[in-house]
Amino acid sequence: MIEQTFFDSRASDHSAASGCATRTRASSKPAPDESTLASARDLDSRLVATRRAERSAQYRLAVLLVEMADGGFFRILGYTSVEKYAEIVLELNFRLTRDLIRIGRKLSELPALNAALAAGEVDYTKAREIIRVATPDTDRRWTEHAKLTSCREIERDVSYAGKGDAPPTGEPEPERKPSRPRMVIQIDA
């Protein structure tokens, strides 16, 4: 078995998506030739660009849904709520619609997050968490943190933070203990 390590020349683009700058895989196949490697890199580039465009589209949905909700335009179109409009016309579920509207309403207060979402650099799932704790003073730090960490890590970091706290630096926090006391009753027979 041959172990191959591929260096990702776009580590900054891939770091947030893959979690690392290099990818290792075990294989019994020989290393790919230059043509195959070029094809793989081209496909990779197109996939990354498509994902970025998808994220940017989510940003536009958030902004436009806020406009639809705040202007009451959904009523003019014959719908009882913006969520019902989004469900029927856009085929978005209630939770996604609610999350996008909540994000869209906070973006004017968080310019760094707004720019990152518009550029497709941060996914809405990370933004959904960040808006719970970020303020104009911590916006840039949370946005940069989101670009470098996974959504799961963002969720964990937000759970430790209070409104206005900066994101953690360095090592992750130790595992939290349960917040309520636990009583164990042991019966000896």
Side-chain angles (χ1 to χ4, degrees):
M1 185 182 297
I2 299 170
E3 189 168 296
Q4 300 169 334
T5 302
F6 298 95
F7 178 72
D8 189 342
S9 61
R10 293 173 332 283
S12 61
D13 289 344
H14 258 286
S15 295
S18 67
C20 61
T22 59
R23 292 171 276 167
T24 303
R25 67 180 171 96
S27 174
S28 59
K29 297 179 183 179
D33 61 36
E34 286 301 314
S35 174
T36 304
L37 189 56
S39 293
R41 286 183 175 152
D42 177 59
L43 179 59
D44 175 62
S45 294
R46 289 184 288 147
L47 283 166
V48 169
T50 301
R51 180 65 173 121
R52 186 170 283 215
E54 179 185 33
R55 289 175 177 159
S56 185
Q58 289 171 332
Y59 162 80
R60 288 191 304 277
L61 276 172
V63 171
L64 293 172
L65 282 168
V66 168
E67 185 178 342
M68 177 69 80
D70 291 351
F73 297 116
F74 59 89
R75 284 190 200 94
I76 295 168
L77 296 173
Y79 298 93
T80 57
S81 68
V82 71
E83 292 84 6
K84 197 47 108 174
Y85 166 83
E87 177 187 350
I88 294 169
V89 176
L90 305 175
E91 298 180 359
L92 299 176
N93 67 46
F94 178 84
R95 180 176 179 193
L96 176 58
T97 302
R98 185 189 60 206
D99 287 347
L100 289 172
I101 291 172
R102 206 165 47 100
I103 292 165
R105 287 196 168 123
K106 286 290 205 173
L107 291 178
S108 64
E109 301 169 24
L110 307 170
L113 183 60
N114 187 10
L117 281 170
E121 296 171 344
V122 174
D123 194 74
Y124 91 93
T125 55
K126 292 179 181 182
R128 178 185 64 208
E129 298 303 315
I130 290 170
I131 64 170
R132 294 174 42 205
V133 294
T135 62
D137 294 334
T138 60
D139 170 41
R140 183 163 307 287
R141 286 179 278 177
W142 275 107
T143 301
E144 290 304 315
H145 185 61
K147 291 177 185 179
L148 301 172
T149 57
S150 70
C151 187
R152 190 170 300 250
E153 290 170 308
I154 292 292
E155 289 172 351
R156 183 201 63 220
D157 295 342
V158 166
S159 74
Y160 286 111
K163 186 76 172 172
D165 288 350
T169 57
E171 291 298 310
E173 299 276 335
E175 189 70 26
R176 279 199 279 187
K177 297 192 187 257
S179 59
R180 39 178 211 226
R182 182 175 165 211
M183 182 165 65
V184 177
I185 300 173
Q186 185 175 5
I187 301 174
D188 294 327

